[in-house]
Amino acid sequence: MTDLAERYQTIKAIIESASKSFNRPLLLAVSKVQPIKKMEFLHEFGINDFGESYLQEALIKIEHFKNKPINWHFIGPIQSNKTRLIAENFDWVHSVCSVKVAKRLSAQRPESMPSLNICLQVNIDNESTKAGKLPEEVSLFFDEIKALPNLSIRGLMCLPKKRENIVDTCESFNRLAKLKNSLCDKMDTLSMGMSSDLEYAISEGSTIVRVGTALFGTRGDIVPSEFKVDGLNNNGY
Ligand SMILES: *Cc1c(COP(=O)(O)O)cnc(C)c1O
């Protein structure tokens, strides 16, 4: 696990350095298709926030860590038949992009739990392959769901287009930041920046960076045996 420790130090140093000039973001460790052993080490190093994309895999991990003070973030695509388990088991959902899903998450959030923190996913570069509301649709979407009782709309999330030039990615991050500011002062979250571009996202105002491979190492195509659950393929979904 020395590689893991080194990668963690590297990511911490990147965040540290960027945070001298900009706000310090939360480091969300994206643990999808990564083994529990590595998550245990990272938790011991001080990571308390994990991001998962595949519900079945996530539920196994949440059960495993049930006595630990961990915040669970759902960051993957959401089918409406999965909303109940997401509402019952997660602290954050970064990938809300339909009114139907938002209504179900609010209705299914147990009363005994605090409001579910959500981010609206924005298809910031208008890509046909990506989920999310188009930038011009976000204001109406926000208005349609803002009164839902058991959700706390914390901000916006994006997965920008892969580009050669990092300057273009920065421009996408900057548009997401402006969009958030145009909506509502109460939103405090910009979920943007991943392994390859976190320092640039921080310079554009990111408050949560979602880092997977740069922290854990590459995601294998073979799911560790602990995730072999009926109905899952080798990618864990
Ligand atoms: C997998 C994933 C990440 C992490 O990607 P890396 O490039 O491994 O850091 C971040 N955000 C979302 C929504 C993801 O699905």
Side-chain angles (χ1 to χ4, degrees):
M1 291 290 163
T2 52
D3 289 359
L4 191 61
E6 276 170 23
R7 283 192 296 264
Y8 174 61
Q9 291 308 331
T10 304
I11 295 296
K12 259 198 4 184
I14 291 172
I15 291 177
E16 204 62 44
S17 152
S19 304
K20 288 194 181 113
S21 317
F22 306 99
N23 283 333
R24 178 187 305 271
L26 172 75
L27 171 57
L28 173 59
V30 175
S31 46
K32 65 179 181 209
V33 202
Q34 297 284 0
I36 284 176
K37 262 262 143 325
K38 288 188 179 178
M39 296 170 70
E40 284 174 339
F41 275 98
L42 287 171
H43 180 57
E44 271 170 35
F45 297 156
I47 296 248
N48 291 320
D49 290 83
F50 288 108
E52 292 282 340
S53 298
Y54 310 115
L55 184 60
Q56 293 310 316
E57 176 190 350
L59 293 175
I60 294 168
K61 291 169 168 177
I62 292 170
E63 172 64 21
H64 179 86
F65 287 100
K66 65 172 180 257
N67 298 319
K68 307 276 190 198
I70 288 175
N71 302 309
W72 295 96
H73 300 242
F74 194 82
I75 63 173
I78 306 172
Q79 294 156 278
S80 40
N81 64 349
K82 301 281 170 64
T83 51
R84 178 175 299 281
L85 285 168
I86 293 173
E88 289 173 352
N89 287 284
F90 284 81
D91 302 288
W92 281 77
V93 181
H94 293 232
S95 44
V96 176
C97 44
S98 82
V99 173
K100 181 179 177 192
V101 162
K103 283 186 173 160
R104 290 174 67 97
L105 289 171
S106 176
Q108 294 168 340
R109 181 69 167 173
E111 291 297 337
S112 59
M113 295 176 85
S115 293
L116 182 62
N117 297 297
I118 66 162
C119 294
L120 313 184
Q121 183 170 350
V122 182
N123 187 351
I124 195 72
D125 293 311
N126 201 341
E127 293 174 274
S128 59
T129 53
K130 293 234 170 98
K133 288 289 184 194
L134 294 176
E136 60 270 26
E137 297 170 333
V138 173
S139 170
L140 176 63
F141 182 38
F142 174 77
D143 285 340
E144 285 175 313
I145 66 171
K146 67 183 176 200
L148 291 173
N150 300 320
L151 303 182
S152 171
I153 306 177
R154 298 290 297 271
L156 305 180
M157 181 274 252
C158 76
L159 279 159
K161 189 171 176 177
K162 287 224 180 337
R163 293 193 179 95
E164 297 284 300
N165 193 336
I166 195 70
V167 174
D168 296 324
T169 307
C170 283
E171 188 266 331
S172 301
F173 290 146
N174 185 265
R175 276 188 287 116
L176 193 77
K178 289 201 173 116
L179 186 58
K180 178 186 84 77
N181 292 341
S182 74
L183 286 175
C184 164
D185 295 341
K186 277 184 282 180
M187 285 192 189
D188 59 5
T189 300
L190 277 173
S191 171
M192 59 187 199
M194 321 203 303
S195 291
S196 56
D197 53 22
L198 72 149
E199 60 269 55
Y200 301 96
I202 297 169
S203 72
E204 298 297 339
S206 172
T207 67
I208 303 183
V209 289
R210 309 179 309 269
V211 183
T213 47
L215 198 51
F216 284 91
T218 49
R219 289 182 281 273
D221 350 291
I222 311 275
V223 175
S225 58
E226 66 223 70
F227 307 139
K228 285 226 169 110
V229 179
D230 288 348
L232 289 192
N233 67 20
N234 264 355
N235 289 317
Y237 53 97

